[in-house]
């Protein structure tokens, strides 16, 4: 009977020890500090493609997800306004060049000949009036003609001389061509018209939009035939050769996340592939991102910092928007 009691006592003690050990193990597991999981996101440099001129989308030479090279033509815009402005600018340039040629080349041969003949005619008239005036002087001195008649002939003679001088001036102008000021003005008009043509040409180049970088087409906003305004975004290009990871981390967890530190990440979308990266950017976020402490003893307000890390090598399949996980002890 006594042996049976001892046996039951041993079983009870063993059960008690097992229960205590179980509670201890469970308590250790529960109370053991869990690793801090910091989730971030992959990002890449993006370029917005937009045009300087309004118009309708005539053609897309690429689709979303397609890889492109720098300089590839991706969008063609139909702009009737540019065609009209080009026709107007070319017409203005043609007119300005005609004015310049006229100023530089001077009068035509027929005009010079006509001016010469008018000068010669005026010289003949001057000679006739000079002889009449000389005879009238003698007659006036001899008191044969009145003073009034003499004054009339004298006035006619002076008028003939002035007419001859004017004809000579017209002839000289026809021979020499336009004045230097007129020539300079004509040259300036041509330069102004040429600048207008160059300006329209620069806008005409904007109807064919090209990729500013190697990458992929991430988004296309309008559809073919839709009207787009000046500066309206048409397409987004992502440069997959310039990617990084961004995290928002409380300042009490920044240990090991200083600029230049190396970190190991996992990418769930790539089968939890591990990626090594280097921290290159650390900056406090705005005040709204501050974590507010409660009234518990020992707690304090902590700022949130933006941390960026760049992968140390190219990661095949990594795309912007994919989550990345950083585990900290």
């Amino acid at each position: 009977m006594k042996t049976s009691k001892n046996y039951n006592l041993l079983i009870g003690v063993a059960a008690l020890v097992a229960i205590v050990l179980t509670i201890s193990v469970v308590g250790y597991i529960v109370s053991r500090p869990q690793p801090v999981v910091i989730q971030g996101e992959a990002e890449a440099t993006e370029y917005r493609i937009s045009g300087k001129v309004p118009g309708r989308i005539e053609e897309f030479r690429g689709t979303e997800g397609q890889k492109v090279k720098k300089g590839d033509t991706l969008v063609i815009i139909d702009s009737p306004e540019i065609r009209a402005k080009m026709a107007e600018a070319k017409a203005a340039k043609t007119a300005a060049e005609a004015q310049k040629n006229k100023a530089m080349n001077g009068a035509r041969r027929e005009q010079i000949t006509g001016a010469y003949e008018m000068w010669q005619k005026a010289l003949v008239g001057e000679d006739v009036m000079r002889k009449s005036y000389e005879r009238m002087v003698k007659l006036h001195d001899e008191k044969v003609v009145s003073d009034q008649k003499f004054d009339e002939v004298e006035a006619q003679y002076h008028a003939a001389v002035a007419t001859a001088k004017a004809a000579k001036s017209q002839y000289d102008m026809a021979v020499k061509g336009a004045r230097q000021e007129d020539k300079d003005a004509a040259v300036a008009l041509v330069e102004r018209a040429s600048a207008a043509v160059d300006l329209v040409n620069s806008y005409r180049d904007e109807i064919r939009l090209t990729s500013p970088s190697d990458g992929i087409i991430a988004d296309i906003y309008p559809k073919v035939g839709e009207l787009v305004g000046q500066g309206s975004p048409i397409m987004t290009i992502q440069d997959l050769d310039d990617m990084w990871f961004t995290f928002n981390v409380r300042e009490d967890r920044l240990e090991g996340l200083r600029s230049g530190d190396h970190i190991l990440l996992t990418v769930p979308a790539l089968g939890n592939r591990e990626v090594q990266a280097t921290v290159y950017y650390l900056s406090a976020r705005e005040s709204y991102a501050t974590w507010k402490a409660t009234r518990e003893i020992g707690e304090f307000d902590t700022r949130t910092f933006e941390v960026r890390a760049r992968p140390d090598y190219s990661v095949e399949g990594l795309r912007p928007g994919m989550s990345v996980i950083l585990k900290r002890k």
Side-chain angles (χ1 to χ4, degrees):
M1 189 68 178
K2 186 176 181 180
T3 301
S4 176
K5 290 181 178 181
N6 291 336
Y7 178 74
N8 291 335
L9 180 62
L10 288 176
I11 293 176
V13 170
L16 179 61
V17 170
I19 292 172
V20 170
L21 288 176
T22 302
I23 293 175
S24 299
V25 171
V26 172
Y28 173 76
I29 294 175
V30 172
S31 62
R32 184 178 59 181
Q34 297 296 318
V36 177
V37 177
I38 301 175
Q39 180 174 342
E41 183 179 0
E43 298 185 25
T45 297
E46 292 186 347
Y47 299 93
R48 290 288 183 92
I49 295 180
S50 58
K52 292 181 179 179
V53 297
R56 294 189 181 277
I57 301 297
E58 181 177 332
E59 179 184 357
F60 285 121
R61 293 190 175 179
T63 57
E64 291 179 340
Q66 177 180 329
K67 292 184 177 181
V68 295
K69 295 290 186 181
K70 181 178 180 179
D72 288 350
T73 299
L74 301 179
V75 185
I76 298 179
I77 299 176
D78 178 36
S79 179
E81 292 85 354
I82 295 300
R83 292 196 296 270
K85 287 183 179 295
M86 176 57 70
E88 180 182 356
K90 286 183 176 180
K93 183 178 180 181
T94 300
E97 288 176 343
Q99 286 290 104
K100 175 186 174 184
N101 293 334
K102 181 179 179 180
M104 294 301 180
N105 297 333
R108 293 181 299 177
R109 179 56 54 187
E110 295 84 353
Q111 293 175 317
I112 295 175
T113 301
Y116 178 77
E117 291 176 351
M118 292 299 295
W119 175 39
Q120 296 304 310
K121 179 180 178 181
L123 288 177
V124 172
E126 178 188 358
D127 185 60
V128 171
M129 290 308 301
R130 181 181 56 79
K131 292 177 180 179
S132 297
Y133 173 67
E134 290 174 351
R135 288 195 299 268
M136 189 60 65
V137 170
K138 293 179 181 179
L139 294 174
H140 182 264
D141 292 342
E142 297 174 357
K143 307 297 182 180
V144 176
V145 296
S146 64
D147 291 341
Q148 182 179 357
K149 187 65 175 178
F150 174 77
D151 292 341
E152 292 176 356
V153 173
E154 184 180 28
Q156 292 175 0
Y157 169 63
H158 289 314
V161 172
T163 300
K165 288 181 179 179
K168 177 64 164 59
S169 177
Q170 292 294 323
Y171 171 70
D172 291 340
M173 288 178 60
V175 172
K176 294 180 180 179
R179 294 182 304 174
Q180 186 60 42
E181 294 85 349
D182 295 333
K183 293 180 180 179
D184 293 341
V187 171
L189 285 175
V190 172
E191 291 177 350
R192 180 179 178 182
S194 298
V197 172
D198 292 340
L199 177 62
V200 177
N201 274 327
S202 69
Y203 280 108
R204 188 171 64 176
D205 293 340
E206 290 295 326
I207 66 175
R208 301 175 69 89
L209 306 182
T210 60
S211 175
S213 172
D214 294 352
I216 64 170
I217 300 175
D219 295 292
I220 298 177
Y221 305 109
K223 295 180 174 57
V224 173
E226 288 187 355
L227 183 66
V228 292
Q230 182 178 4
S232 298
I234 299 174
M235 186 180 291
T236 299
I237 304 297
Q238 291 179 339
D239 184 0
L240 299 184
D241 293 329
D242 186 19
M243 297 191 66
W244 64 90
F245 306 112
T246 301
F247 304 89
N248 292 318
V249 186
R250 272 175 27 189
E251 62 179 305
D252 56 344
R253 298 175 177 175
L254 285 176
E255 184 179 358
L257 293 177
R258 307 295 179 179
S259 182
D261 289 345
H262 298 283
I263 57 178
L264 189 63
L265 311 171
T266 58
V267 185
L270 301 180
N272 290 323
R273 182 188 305 179
E274 293 187 342
V275 177
Q276 184 171 322
T278 302
V279 177
Y280 72 93
Y281 177 85
L282 180 68
S283 178
R285 298 295 302 272
E286 295 79 359
S287 59
Y288 66 79
T290 299
W291 180 79
K292 301 294 184 180
T294 63
R295 295 183 179 273
E296 294 182 13
I297 297 175
E299 290 190 349
F300 57 92
D301 292 355
T302 54
R303 297 289 300 274
T304 298
F305 281 73
E306 180 180 358
V307 180
R308 298 178 188 174
R310 199 179 302 277
D312 295 340
Y313 41 82
S314 177
V315 181
E316 183 67 27
L318 184 64
R319 291 293 183 270
M322 287 185 177
S323 297
V324 290
I325 304 299
L326 171 63
K327 292 185 177 181
R328 309 291 304 281
K329 294 182 178 180

